[in-house]
Amino acid sequence: MSLVDSLIERMSLTEKLGQLTMTACGQAVTGPTIAGDSTEAIKSGAIGNLLNLVGAANVHDMQRLAVDESRLGIPLLIGYDVIHGHRTLFPIPLGEASLFDPEAWASSARESAKEAAADGLAMTFAPMLDVARDPRWGRGAEGPGEDPFVAACMAEAKVRGFQGGGLTHADCLASVAKHFCAYGGVTAGRDYAPVDISERTLHEVHLLPFAAAVAAGAAAIMPAFTDLNGVPMTANKVLLRDWLRGRLGFDGLIISDYNAIAELIRHGIAADLADAAALALKAGVDIDMMADAYRRGLPLALKRGTVSMAEIDESVRRVLILKERLGLFDDPYRRGKVRESAAALEKRRGLARHIATRSIVMLKNDGDALPLRRSVRRLALLGPLTDASAEMRGVWWGAAAPEGHVTVLQGLRTALPESQILQADGVAIDGADTGGLSAALRLCESADAIILCLGEAAVMSGEAASRAHLGLPGMQRQLAEAVFEQAQRASIPVIVILFSGRPLIVPWLVEKANAVLAAWFPGSEAGHALADVITGRQGPSGRTPVTWPRALGQVPIFFGERPSGRPFDSHDRFTSKYLDVANEPLFPFGFGLTYGRFELSNLRLSRAAIALGDVLTVQVDVINRGAREAQETLFLFTHDKIASVSRPKLELKGFGKIELRPGGSGTVTFSLGAAELRFLGMALEPVFEPGEIEILVGPCADRTQLQVASVQLVA
Ligand code: GLC
């Protein structure tokens, strides 16, 4: 008999329900309530899993309670939100998505897992894979952006990085892909609001990254708080049991989100905790995070006959199997046993700097305001995010302390020791105080260049942080307008660095600034990364993974929209448009300037026609006409012009990079399997339809910048 079978045979109902319970410790607040002391419940076997416990010693102490003092000695599973780093922070996921580099995504997850495992943790509630196309929603900051292909690539890379060489390895974490699913589609961009989307969008957009996570071997899935077309995900049997476990064959763990099972009552589908617990268990949710619904509700549900002991045992088995796969029975203390070396931490900071530098998206650079000329000797560094270590962390900062993250001021002072850098906040990130404005403006008077650091506070995106106005908070616009006016009079270039967890709607700022960098929240090496780009030590190479709206009224706005029967035509009144703003975004998906100037030519396909099973090679020549070395990112889109259902105007199928010196040239090659040109037909089943497919390659999702060719799909 296996260990798991023998344990289940010996377990009391309390002990079984304990294994289905995950309780929060007080070292982080990630939900509405914090449990009291769990010590006695762990010793009695009434709690079998914890979250928000930090520190190898703390983990060891709690683990010892379970292993040495409980009747069956079943080790605890301890999880934490290691989203973009544990103590060393990488850019927020939306910033990291700007790299369009799966190996970089995997490497930061690998390093984060090492750091978290060294702290004793065995699970991370990541990656977050919610495709988001509404920047009012704050949680887009935690995710892969607007496109399902990118989300699927990130899913694979992150699961591979977190889980590394295998779950028994002491430096690997069980990855929890979340939030299943379509959370990014919340009504009006308001967090936790209902989600209404079509079956087609569900299958073509929101399920794709989770299929990729399962294929990559994700150990667990976390359902979203939200309902989907009226069915709360935590009780969504069709998607959890039938699709995830049935269709995909997912046999891992399903962990509810924080208190989500109890919230089925507020969703209006459960009369009480026993009802809620029964609905969740029958839908396939194995662990109840912080609702205490399983412990308090399932005994009554058993009495009512709405659940069976067999259903409870099925979930207990999955929990015990994951603990076994994590090696917790063999050695419960294997994670947190070995302190990391200083060299390991140094290497990690180096990777964080490398990734942060490449996450920066240059949105504007008129007159080559960047990189700063060597003649720049006096820099005015203004704004509330110039010297803000804690803010550089962004959302979900894990166990990272507020201090110790390199600020813009620190980064520039290190990079430009001979320059005089005069710094002033001017105004706060939020609030109506303009008391510091005049002092800040005085610093402009003798400056050779001005750098404005503006944007959101870290807590203005992420969970429960939707915003209905997406401009600059507080009095930052007043500061910026005053600086632009003064700088213009003195012909001083103004460079703006925007920190945000979402695209900000600031067309007026883009209009007036000489250069604009979207920095998202770059993490622990923020200041060095920005200094690298500003001084030209590294060229900017980031590309925005989300469309930047010109106006909030355009939202949702994304490149993968299907065509209208009346596409915009300036000569025809009766076409799809706004009376008061253009249809085009401020910046399209994939946009990002470099210090080079790239020209594409000679787009060519390996075949004129392909059948299912064939692979098409797509190539394009690139030359750098600029004066500096730079890295170009190119995107491969397709468009199925005539099909049995209307297809998106552009579908992303690949991305590639090339680094070229001034005058250098090269070729970027993509491989496109004919199978990737299948789509969901009328019955939402994959179909392969002969006909012409446009192949489009270029620097962003702006058709006017794309090279176009065609291939025939043949039966
Ligand atoms: C939060 C979040 C989820 C997180 C969990 C544990 O409410 O929705 O993303 O992993 O609780 O902190």
Side-chain angles (χ1 to χ4, degrees), residues 419-444:
S419 297
Q420 189 183 12
I421 300 174
L422 309 167
Q423 182 272 343
D425 284 6
V427 294
I429 293 174
D430 206 353
D433 179 14
T434 56
L437 209 49
S438 50
L441 293 176
R442 278 198 296 277
L443 299 184
C444 299

Side-chain angles (χ1 to χ4, degrees), residues 159-434:
V159 169
R160 172 161 49 97
F162 285 129
Q163 300 192 167
L167 294 182
T168 53
H169 290 229
D171 67 356
C172 296
L173 300 178
S175 172
V176 182
K178 71 184 185 182
H179 307 82
F180 184 76
C181 65
Y183 189 4
V186 285
T187 302
R190 192 168 9 88
D191 206 1
Y192 313 125
V195 174
D196 273 295
I197 55 168
S198 70
E199 278 297 298
R200 177 168 297 283
T201 300
L202 171 64
H203 286 270
E204 286 185 346
V205 177
H206 297 285
L207 288 177
L208 278 184
F210 290 95
V214 169
I221 296 275
M222 181 187 286
F225 286 119
T226 39
D227 84 348
L228 175 58
N229 303 335
V231 181
M233 282 311 305
T234 303
N236 198 314
K237 212 168 167 192
V238 169
L239 285 175
L240 291 172
R241 273 211 191 277
D242 303 347
W243 188 81
L244 194 58
R245 292 202 188 285
R247 184 88 177 254
L248 291 193
F250 175 67
D251 61 356
L253 216 52
I254 296 176
I255 300 182
S256 83
D257 203 338
Y258 196 112
N259 194 44
I261 296 176
E263 290 164 18
L264 294 177
I265 298 168
R266 291 192 195 128
H267 275 289
I269 64 164
D272 58 23
L273 216 51
D275 260 5
L279 285 170
L281 188 76
K282 297 181 95 69
V285 176
D286 299 307
I287 286 187
D288 163 12
M289 180 193 285
M290 270 310 279
D292 222 11
Y294 280 4
R295 283 199 308 173
R296 291 166 47 205
L298 286 182
L300 181 52
L302 277 170
K303 285 199 185 80
R304 289 176 180 169
T306 52
V307 297
S308 68
M309 187 58 81
E311 287 168 319
I312 290 173
D313 289 352
E314 180 192 334
S315 287
V316 172
R317 176 180 306 282
R318 279 195 282 264
V319 174
L320 296 178
I321 286 172
L322 179 56
K323 291 185 177 183
E324 197 172 38
R325 287 179 62 201
L326 284 163
L328 292 173
F329 285 106
D330 296 341
D331 176 3
Y333 307 105
R334 64 178 48 205
R335 290 176 179 82
K337 199 179 277 183
V338 180
R339 287 177 65 81
E340 291 194 287
S341 66
L345 296 179
E346 200 51 40
K347 176 178 164 251
R348 189 166 300 134
R349 293 287 300 218
L351 179 66
R353 175 171 181 165
H354 175 69
I355 288 178
T357 302
R358 294 173 60 211
S359 70
I360 295 163
V361 180
M362 185 157 74
L363 299 174
K364 183 180 182 183
N365 190 24
D366 276 6
D368 291 342
L370 287 175
L372 280 185
R373 291 176 177 70
R374 297 209 171 279
S375 59
V376 169
R377 280 283 167 262
R378 282 171 67 87
L379 253 183
L381 184 61
L382 308 176
L385 287 148
T386 51
D387 196 24
S389 167
E391 302 302 343
M392 297 299 102
R393 297 182 294 176
V395 291
W396 291 108
W397 52 73
E403 55 284 334
H405 312 285
V406 183
T407 69
V408 180
L409 176 61
Q410 293 164 340
L412 286 172
R413 282 202 165 136
T414 304
L416 300 168
E418 289 81 34
S419 297
Q420 189 183 12
I421 300 174
L422 309 167
Q423 182 272 343
D425 284 6
V427 294
I429 293 174
D430 206 353
D433 179 14
T434 56

Side-chain angles (χ1 to χ4, degrees), residues 19-183:
Q19 290 303 310
L20 305 189
T21 297
M22 181 176 271
T23 300
C25 299
Q27 287 159 312
V29 179
T30 61
T33 55
I34 279 288
D37 181 74
S38 312
T39 306
E40 290 312 312
I42 291 170
K43 285 159 67 173
S44 69
I47 288 180
N49 311 286
L50 296 174
L51 73 145
N52 297 348
L53 179 63
V54 178
N58 296 328
V59 167
H60 184 280
D61 292 350
M62 297 304 255
Q63 193 62 281
R64 198 197 55 72
L65 284 179
V67 171
D68 292 350
E69 301 196 31
S70 75
R71 185 174 77 89
L72 294 171
I74 299 173
L76 297 168
L77 170 62
I78 302 174
Y80 197 57
D81 293 286
V82 183
I83 309 297
H84 55 108
H86 184 56
R87 298 182 191 280
T88 306
L89 292 180
F90 296 89
I92 58 169
L94 190 61
E96 216 187 12
S98 307
L99 276 82
F100 287 91
D101 182 344
E103 289 320 302
W105 298 336
S107 63
S108 66
R110 185 83 296 274
E111 284 301 310
S112 303
K114 285 180 188 172
E115 197 164 78
D119 234 5
L121 296 168
M123 172 176 271
T124 177
F125 308 119
M128 190 274 212
L129 299 172
D130 301 308
V131 172
R133 295 161 166 183
D134 186 332
R136 292 172 293 184
W137 190 49
R139 302 202 76 168
E142 307 168 41
E146 74 181 52
D147 181 69
F149 178 86
V150 175
C153 293
M154 185 168 272
E156 185 281 329
K158 288 296 179 185
V159 169
R160 172 161 49 97
F162 285 129
Q163 300 192 167
L167 294 182
T168 53
H169 290 229
D171 67 356
C172 296
L173 300 178
S175 172
V176 182
K178 71 184 185 182
H179 307 82
F180 184 76
C181 65
Y183 189 4

Side-chain angles (χ1 to χ4, degrees), residues 583-627:
N583 287 359
E584 287 69 35
L586 191 61
F587 297 105
F589 171 92
F591 185 86
L593 301 173
T594 70
Y595 288 153
R597 189 161 52 79
F598 293 98
E599 281 178 12
L600 305 187
S601 62
N602 194 15
L603 174 63
R604 53 197 182 278
L605 311 182
S606 58
R607 310 165 71 136
I610 52 174
L612 205 49
D614 291 340
V615 176
L616 181 72
T617 300
V618 179
Q619 294 186 304
V620 68
D621 295 336
V622 190
I623 185 166
N624 179 1
R625 301 277 191 208

